[in-house]
Amino acid sequence: MTSSLFKSIAGPPAPSFANIRQIGNLRGPLGKDPSQLKAAIQRIANGEDYREFYVERYGRRRRIEQPVGSLEHIHQRICALLEGAIDDISEHAHGFVAGRSIVTNASPHTGKAFVQTIDVKDFFESTTERLVIESFIALGVGEAPAEVLGALVCRNGHLPTGARTSPAVSNLAMRSIDIQCQELALTDGLTYTRYADDLTFSGAAIPDSLVPYVRAMLRNLGYEINSKKLRLRRSGQPLFVTGLAITSPGPPKLRRSFRKKLRTQVYFSNMNGTQAQANFEGDDHDFFKAKLTGRLHFANSIDPVFVQRLRDECASVFDQLMPLHPGRTVSNRDVQMKYLASQVKSNSGNKPEWYVASSQLDLS
């Protein structure tokens, strides 16, 4: 049954989910009849329909579980459903939402005296199948089809890191947290935003009770705070939110260390060639080019003036990695995906379409 917490926040169901009251109602949206969905769930239980590999970040190996075959097709159809539930995602959630980004997440915190950042430990792995099911029920989905949807988007009882559905589903799962955090922020005169697993509060003062209160809220849904990434900073210190500098007035900016590193990579790639720079950094050539291209697109989305200066100084490498296409625009999602994909290097060398939380971004 739906928990009282979810009943209190459900509100009117999204139209795309409102008619899914029985398992048979999933036939149209997912393109599969109930027997096919049952078979798909059984394959997941048997350990099939996923490709597993590992990526290494900061010396830590992270397992990626990527749907393949017919399950990937089902996930594509579920994503289309989730796009219809955009109004059910909190306005304070900025990760994996069209028109929102790390910039919109950081902007509300500029000029604040204190900034408290809270990171959720093992975010996707801690988003349980039960919580996912209750999130679908809160949208107006019947309990039986909600259980089917939960079984299709989860693996081993949690959201898999590597599935295209996990980011949007996690936003739905965190909706009650977003509502409670915003209520807390209003009470204490604070500003609140969330980007994936990163929660940020800012204001004239941060009460001592804030972190314990948020910890209790998170634990109620099965989450834990990553104590190693708990940060309270005040004006006069370097202030960063989702990897962007908010120390000085005005819009969020690229970290100085990021700009310096990018300038160095571009300069020597332009002077010596990308192959030589890849060798120097110990990277595969194709991976290095993808990484540098992703970093340039990311930087351009934050500070186009800085990137234009680099282009003027190092035209040759820009012609190779980021040629100009008059009249062409790039969406925020495309920019984020280019940058995030540049950070991934699977065992096979393929670059899968998957999302990672902002805490995994190398913005230093």
Side-chain angles (χ1 to χ4, degrees):
M1 299 295 292
T2 310
S3 68
S4 58
L5 172 62
F6 274 88
K7 285 180 179 177
S8 68
I9 67 168
S16 54
F17 282 101
N19 296 326
I20 304 177
R21 304 300 304 165
Q22 307 294 330
I23 295 177
N25 298 143
L26 291 170
R27 179 184 287 108
L30 302 190
K32 304 287 184 182
D33 61 39
S35 64
Q36 292 173 308
L37 295 177
K38 181 179 179 181
I41 292 171
Q42 186 59 53
R43 287 195 301 272
I44 295 172
N46 294 339
E48 303 173 42
D49 284 355
Y50 274 90
R51 181 175 76 94
E52 291 188 14
F53 57 94
Y54 289 83
V55 296
E56 187 168 332
R57 298 290 293 153
Y58 308 119
R60 177 189 173 191
R61 295 185 78 215
R62 187 177 185 88
R63 185 175 67 175
I64 306 301
E65 302 166 291
Q66 182 188 11
V68 296
S70 61
L71 181 61
E72 171 65 0
H73 177 71
I74 291 174
H75 277 206
Q76 290 175 353
R77 302 291 287 264
I78 293 175
C79 280
L81 270 176
L82 290 168
E83 288 177 2
I86 184 67
D87 291 339
D88 292 275
I89 295 175
S90 167
E91 64 181 292
H92 305 287
H94 293 261
F96 321 117
V97 181
R100 306 179 202 175
S101 66
I102 62 173
V103 177
T104 62
N105 181 70
S107 293
H109 303 288
T110 57
K112 300 298 176 65
F114 289 86
V115 177
Q116 175 73 67
T117 54
I118 301 172
D119 181 86
V120 180
K121 185 178 181 180
D122 300 326
F123 184 46
F124 285 166
E125 293 88 340
S126 299
T127 304
T128 65
E129 186 171 337
R130 186 66 246 171
L131 179 58
V132 169
I133 291 169
E134 292 193 340
S135 301
F136 283 124
I137 293 174
L139 293 178
V141 179
E143 188 164 352
E147 290 178 349
V148 170
L149 287 169
L152 289 170
V153 300
C154 291
R155 189 188 191 208
N156 297 326
H158 61 78
L159 288 180
T161 300
R164 66 174 68 217
T165 49
S166 291
V169 174
S170 71
N171 273 336
L172 294 176
M174 287 289 285
R175 186 179 179 220
S176 65
I177 294 293
D178 290 331
I179 290 174
Q180 292 177 86
C181 283
Q182 176 59 13
E183 291 175 351
L184 177 63
L186 288 174
T187 300
D188 293 331
L190 303 175
T191 297
Y192 166 73
T193 64
R194 179 179 61 83
Y195 190 98
D197 58 352
D198 291 332
L199 287 66
T200 304
F201 295 85
S202 64
I206 302 294
D208 293 338
S209 60
L210 177 71
V211 173
Y213 192 89
V214 173
R215 179 179 281 111
M217 285 192 297
L218 289 168
R219 282 180 174 171
N220 189 48
L221 293 185
Y223 296 109
E224 289 289 342
I225 288 176
N226 186 343
S227 298
K228 295 180 180 179
K229 295 184 178 181
L230 200 58
R231 299 284 187 274
L232 174 61
R233 295 185 176 92
R234 65 180 67 197
S235 58
Q237 297 176 316
L239 299 179
F240 303 102
V241 173
T242 43
L244 298 179
I246 60 167
T247 306
S248 58
K253 299 175 176 60
L254 296 169
R255 284 178 184 255
R256 184 178 300 174
S257 57
F258 178 90
R259 290 159 57 99
K260 182 178 179 181
K261 183 175 181 178
L262 181 59
R263 181 185 292 277
T264 299
Q265 289 178 313
V266 170
Y267 176 80
F268 284 106
S269 293
N270 190 72
M271 183 172 66
N272 302 323
T274 53
Q275 178 68 72
Q277 187 63 21
N279 293 343
F280 176 77
E281 298 192 16
D283 280 335
D284 170 79
H285 186 212
D286 288 339
F287 175 70
F288 172 76
K289 289 192 296 182
K291 178 175 69 174
L292 186 54
T293 302
R295 283 177 161 237
L296 287 170
H297 278 284
F298 170 76
N300 193 56
S301 71
I302 308 297
D303 190 347
V305 174
F306 165 67
V307 174
Q308 183 59 51
R309 286 202 300 266
L310 284 182
R311 182 185 292 276
D312 293 340
E313 297 168 4
C314 305
S316 178
V317 72
F318 269 86
D319 289 343
Q320 178 184 356
L321 300 179
M322 195 176 167
L324 290 173
H325 297 284
R328 178 184 173 188
T329 59
V330 181
S331 69
N332 282 341
R333 179 184 181 279
D334 289 338
V335 168
Q336 292 178 41
M337 286 306 301
K338 281 178 181 291
Y339 183 76
L340 295 175
S342 76
Q343 302 301 303
V344 181
K345 187 175 185 181
S346 71
N347 291 340
S348 65
N350 294 326
K351 308 298 186 298
E353 182 178 357
W354 66 289
Y355 298 78
V356 294
S358 61
S359 59
Q360 293 176 260
L361 296 184
D362 180 10
L363 302 183
S364 60

